[in-house]
Amino acid sequence: MLNCRVCGGPVEEFLDFGQQPLANAFREVGQTDDEFFFRLAVGLCGSCTMVQLVEEVPRIRMFHDAYPYHSSGSSVMRKHFDATARHFLETELTGHDPFIVELGCNDGIMLKAVAEEGVRHLGVEPCGGVAELAKAAGVRVISEFFQDSTAAGIRAADGPADVIFAANTISHIPYMESILSGVDRLLKPDGIFVFEDPYLGDIVRRSAFDQIYDEHFYFFTARSVRAMAERHGFALVDVERLPVHGGEVRYTLARQGARHPTASVAELLAEEEELGLGRMETLRGFAANVRKNRDDLVALLTDLRAQGRTVIGYGAAAKSATVTNYCGIGPDLVAYVTDSTAAKQGRLTPGSHLPVRPPSAFSDPYPDYALLFAWNHAEEIMAKERAFHEAGGKWILWVPEVRIV
Ligand SMILES: [Zn+2]
C-alpha cells in the first residue's frame, strides 16, 4: 500500500496507463532509444481524498532550462493572466509598498503587468529558458525551485508577501509539506495564497484523461485542498471555476480565522459530494469511461486507415502524450502533428514519435481528418481553420466521447 504525499494515509490505485514518457520530452529525429519512461498510474487517498500519481518523476527531469511550454503562446492565456494581475492590483496589492510572489512564473505572463505598475514582485521559476524570457519582459525572477529554504531566503531579502500566486504549478509538486511551510514562512498574517490548477471534477465529468501526465502529480478538489490547507494552519476561503486548460479551479487560502470563507466554497464542496468525487466507485467509473474512449478512438483511427483516409493531429500539447501513448497511436495511424511552438517543430512527440510540423503543413494539402489534441481550444481553432471544414475536412474529438465534427 502506498502512502499519501499530503497526509500519509493509504492510497488506492484506480487507473493505470502503463509505461509513459515525459509529456514535454520531444525527441530529435533518430534519437529515440534512450527515452525515459515511468509507470503512470493514479490513486485516491482514503483519508484526505487527494488524488495523486503513484510514481514520482524526479523534478529535474521535467523542469529544466529547455522546458518548451511558454504560457504567453496563447492569446486566451494572455488575456486570462492579464485579468488576474489587474484583480490582484485592484483588490490585494493596495496597501503600503505591497509585495507579490509568483511560484512558477514561466515567461512572466502574469507578473509583467505587475512590473509595469511598479509594484514589488518576484517570480520563482526553475526553468531557466522561460525565466530568461520573464526577465526580458521586465520581471524580477530567481531561477530556483520553490521550497521552504527558498521562502526563507526571499523573506530575509524582501520581507513578507501580501499575495503568493501560482498557476499550473502547485499540482506539479509532490513535496507539499515543504511548499506549505514555505508559504507559511513567507506570507503576511493577512496575506493570501492563491493557486489554480486542473480540476478533478472537470476531468471526471469529461473523461479528460489527457490531463493526467508526469507533470500533474495532484488532481485537486475543494475537499482535498481544504484538508491539505488545514494541516498547515490555513483555511480554504474562496474557490472560483476557470474555463482555461479544459477546466480549472482557483483556490484561495488564508490563515485560519483571518478571512471568512465565501459561499462558493460550501457550494463546490456540496457539488463534489453529489458527484462522489472523493469516492472510489466514482473514480473506478471514470477509469471505465477512459478505457472506453481509448477503445473507441483506436477503432475509429484503424477504420479510417483501412479506408485509406489521411489523418493528422492538431496541436502537440503536452497532454496529447498520454492519449497517443495510452492508445498506441503512432505514425501509421496519425501521419504527423502540427504545432506553432518552434521548439517542437522538426522533432518527434514523446513515446509515440509522431513528427511535429509547423502549422503551414496543415493546408498543404488538407488531410481528410484532424485529431484535435488541443480540444480545450476547440472553438478558437475551428473558427480559425474554417477553410479546412469548408474543403470537406472533418475534426475528430474524443472528449467527452469520441466523435466526428
Ligand atoms: Zn491523504
Side-chain angles (χ1 to χ4, degrees):
M1 191 61 107
L2 286 149
N3 292 326
C4 173
R5 288 298 305 262
V6 175
C7 79
V11 171
E12 193 180 342
E13 193 175 307
F14 59 84
L15 180 52
D16 181 2
F17 293 99
Q19 292 295 312
Q20 292 278 332
L22 306 183
N24 268 313
F26 287 77
R27 311 300 299 180
E28 295 291 353
V29 175
Q31 291 181 1
T32 50
D33 7 334
D34 61 339
E35 213 163 353
F36 175 83
F37 286 87
F38 74 109
R39 192 171 78 92
L40 180 67
V42 202
L44 168 74
C45 173
S47 178
C48 75
T49 74
M50 184 64 81
V51 169
Q52 55 202 279
L53 297 191
V54 302
E55 202 173 298
E56 180 183 337
V57 174
R59 63 188 188 178
I60 49 162
R61 280 194 174 273
M62 300 183 282
F63 308 114
H64 43 67
D65 290 352
Y67 188 67
Y69 178 73
H70 299 178
S71 303
S72 294
S74 150
S75 63
V76 173
M77 297 316 294
R78 285 199 300 273
K79 227 178 269 178
H80 170 75
F81 285 116
D82 197 53
T84 304
R86 300 280 149 225
H87 165 74
F88 287 138
L89 287 165
E90 284 160 21
T91 62
E92 302 292 339
L93 303 172
T94 53
H96 172 70
D97 196 20
F99 180 42
I100 178 169
V101 175
E102 183 175 1
L103 316 181
C105 70
N106 198 274
D107 56 14
I109 187 168
M110 196 285 285
L111 282 180
K112 193 158 71 90
V114 175
E116 279 163 9
E117 292 296 322
V119 170
R120 281 201 305 137
H121 64 275
L122 182 67
V124 184
E125 175 51 69
C127 304
V130 288
E132 284 305 317
L133 293 174
K135 278 180 202 166
V139 173
R140 199 176 144 234
V141 189
I142 52 169
S143 195
E144 279 178 38
F145 282 99
F146 183 83
Q147 52 202 19
D148 195 23
S149 55
T150 326
I154 299 170
R155 166 100 198 199
D158 295 289
D162 297 80
V163 176
I164 299 174
F165 177 69
N168 306 302
T169 298
I170 298 304
S171 66
H172 295 191
I173 308 174
Y175 44 96
M176 202 56 82
E177 185 91 20
S178 181
I179 296 297
L180 286 168
S181 58
V183 167
D184 186 26
R185 191 186 291 277
L186 184 55
L187 206 58
K188 279 185 183 168
D190 58 348
I192 50 170
F193 176 35
V194 183
F195 54 96
E196 55 191 59
D197 287 278
Y199 180 51
L200 182 69
D202 288 318
I203 293 170
V204 167
R205 214 188 325 249
R206 296 186 175 130
S207 305
F209 67 88
D210 59 351
Q211 296 279 20
I212 303 170
Y213 58 90
D214 56 316
E215 293 175 21
H216 292 170
F217 189 83
Y218 293 113
F219 300 91
F220 295 146
T221 61
R223 181 172 167 185
S224 62
V225 167
R226 183 181 62 170
M228 179 174 90
E230 286 172 355
R231 293 178 59 80
H232 292 267
F234 291 102
L236 176 62
V237 296
D238 191 42
V239 289
E240 186 188 344
R241 303 289 287 268
L242 305 172
V244 297
H245 288 308
E248 299 204 330
V249 168
R250 177 179 290 169
Y251 305 91
T252 301
L253 271 48
R255 294 186 197 282
Q256 275 168 19
R259 293 196 188 197
H260 282 297
T262 61
S264 61
V265 176
E267 281 164 19
L268 192 57
L269 286 167
E271 204 178 296
E272 290 176 357
E273 184 60 37
E274 202 167 297
L275 253 173
L277 276 188
R279 287 204 304 270
M280 204 56 189
E281 59 176 298
T282 310
L283 297 169
R284 289 201 191 284
F286 162 65
N289 290 342
V290 169
R291 286 189 287 272
K292 181 178 186 311
N293 269 13
R294 174 195 59 186
D295 296 347
D296 289 352
L297 184 57
V298 172
L300 173 64
L301 294 174
T302 307
D303 195 36
L304 290 174
R305 180 181 58 188
Q307 292 173 31
R309 307 290 181 168
T310 52
V311 183
I312 67 110
Y314 194 103
K319 59 190 169 62
S320 62
T322 302
V323 184
T324 55
N325 287 286
Y326 181 53
C327 298
I329 298 171
D332 57 324
L333 291 178
V334 171
Y336 62 88
V337 192
T338 60
D339 199 277
S340 58
T341 310
K344 295 178 182 176
Q345 293 164 6
R347 296 188 163 200
L348 304 172
T349 58
S352 49
H353 303 158
L354 308 177
V356 183
R357 301 203 177 150
S360 57
F362 184 45
S363 57
D364 187 26
Y366 279 130
D368 298 316
Y369 293 84
L371 183 55
L372 188 48
F373 286 123
W375 56 266
N376 48 314
H377 297 303
E379 265 180 48
E380 197 183 342
I381 291 169
M382 286 181 187
K384 193 174 116 194
E385 303 290 1
R386 201 174 300 123
F388 167 58
H389 211 256
E390 282 165 5
K394 293 200 165 45
W395 296 101
I396 300 171
L397 285 155
W398 52 273
V399 172
E401 68 275 312
V402 177
R403 64 195 196 282
I404 294 170
V405 182

